[in-house]
Amino acid sequence: QPHLQESGPGLVKPSETLSLTCAVSGGSLTSSNYYWGWIRQPPGKGLEWIGSIFYSGITYYNPSLESRVTISVDMSKNQFSLRVSSVTAADTAVYFCARRAAADSFDVWGQGTMVTVSS
Amino acid sequence: DIQLTQSPSSVSASVGDRVTITCRASQDIITWLAWYQQKPGTAPRLLIYGASSPQSGVPSRFSGSGSGTDFTLTISSLQPEDFATYYCQQGNRMPWTFGQGTKVEIK
């Protein structure tokens, strides 16, 4: 199975843009027709799916975030990225990248990265 | 959005106990349901997909059942490493959604 690793700033100011990258190792983004996605978890709370992308660039977003979210893929670096614009304190969360697998479950996850929105 | 309601929200149990967690969907999701285990400070781990198919490497004490709107995750004999929070997730219709979680605590 591939290994996923998130990276990006741990602190973002309100109204600015949150940017994270998920590096995929031990496997190719283009293999086996998998979708790749982002999921977040506010401190002490449950999980929220943000969106998913196919290596061809096809994307699906959660309507609750769609106006502020962009997910993109860089096949040359075998990684995909998340951008969330106009962040507020409500965007403070651990952000996970994950692989979407059978029956639309998520079978491989990154370790997660904490992002705090604060001035 | 499809709402998933888990019950109970928390359960206290002892090693060796049989534990059952339920997940109810707000509409028919056929068998598009997954279960995850999450320990503090770690990512969720996929246990069951397609309502009843175990993910590779998952101990046989974990099983899932159900279809339509009602689903269960059963741990047949609770082990010390099973104390964690469990989430269900539906993959029938986007946006994919998760239940609120069930915390399994030591009695």
Side-chain angles (χ1 to χ4, degrees):
Chain A
Q1 285 192 340
H3 176 75
L4 307 184
Q5 180 68 57
E6 305 90 347
S7 62
L11 181 64
V12 181
K13 290 182 168 56
S15 80
E16 295 191 344
T17 296
L18 176 164
S19 295
L20 297 174
T21 295
C22 181
V24 180
S25 58
S28 171
L29 270 176
T30 64
S31 66
S32 303
N33 295 329
Y34 287 112
Y35 273 79
W36 307 85
W38 290 95
I39 295 152
R40 69 181 184 179
Q41 185 172 38
K45 296 188 178 180
L47 299 157
E48 179 181 35
W49 173 71
I50 299 170
S52 294
I53 189 165
F54 194 58
Y55 73 89
S56 64
I58 297 172
T59 53
Y60 298 97
Y61 298 126
N62 191 323
S64 68
L65 296 165
E66 186 167 15
S67 63
R68 299 192 296 125
V69 168
T70 302
I71 298 176
S72 58
V73 64
D74 185 338
M75 286 188 285
S76 67
K77 295 182 178 178
N78 213 38
Q79 64 186 32
F80 59 102
S81 300
L82 170 71
R83 289 170 56 89
V84 182
S85 63
S86 305
V87 297
T88 69
D91 295 307
T92 294
V94 176
Y95 286 76
F96 298 99
C97 57
R99 184 178 76 174
R100 196 189 94 184
D104 290 307
S105 61
F106 296 95
D107 67 337
V108 181
W109 294 66
Q111 66 184 24
T113 187
M114 179 69 200
V115 178
T116 301
V117 178
S118 174
S119 56
Chain B
D1 297 4
I2 296 175
Q3 308 301 318
L4 298 179
T5 303
Q6 290 183 230
S7 61
S9 296
S10 65
V11 57
S12 293
S14 301
V15 172
D17 284 354
R18 181 183 183 89
V19 174
T20 299
I21 299 168
T22 67
C23 178
R24 175 163 289 177
S26 60
Q27 58 186 269
D28 186 352
I29 58 171
I30 313 174
T31 56
W32 294 81
L33 190 96
W35 289 98
Y36 301 85
Q37 175 194 68
Q38 187 179 33
K39 297 181 180 179
T42 70
R45 171 196 180 195
L46 177 64
L47 299 175
I48 303 288
Y49 64 92
S52 61
S53 298
Q55 175 67 355
S56 175
V58 172
S60 59
R61 62 182 180 274
F62 291 95
S63 63
S65 64
S67 64
T69 60
D70 294 311
F71 302 86
T72 61
L73 173 71
T74 299
I75 310 172
S76 60
S77 177
L78 199 65
Q79 298 302 300
E81 60 269 30
D82 300 337
F83 292 97
T85 300
Y86 294 82
Y87 294 93
C88 57
Q89 175 246 323
Q90 65 83 17
N92 181 65
R93 180 172 297 182
M94 285 185 282
W96 314 139
T97 50
F98 293 83
Q100 84 279 14
T102 294
K103 188 172 185 179
V104 177
E105 300 175 298
I106 301 172
K107 191 171 185 179

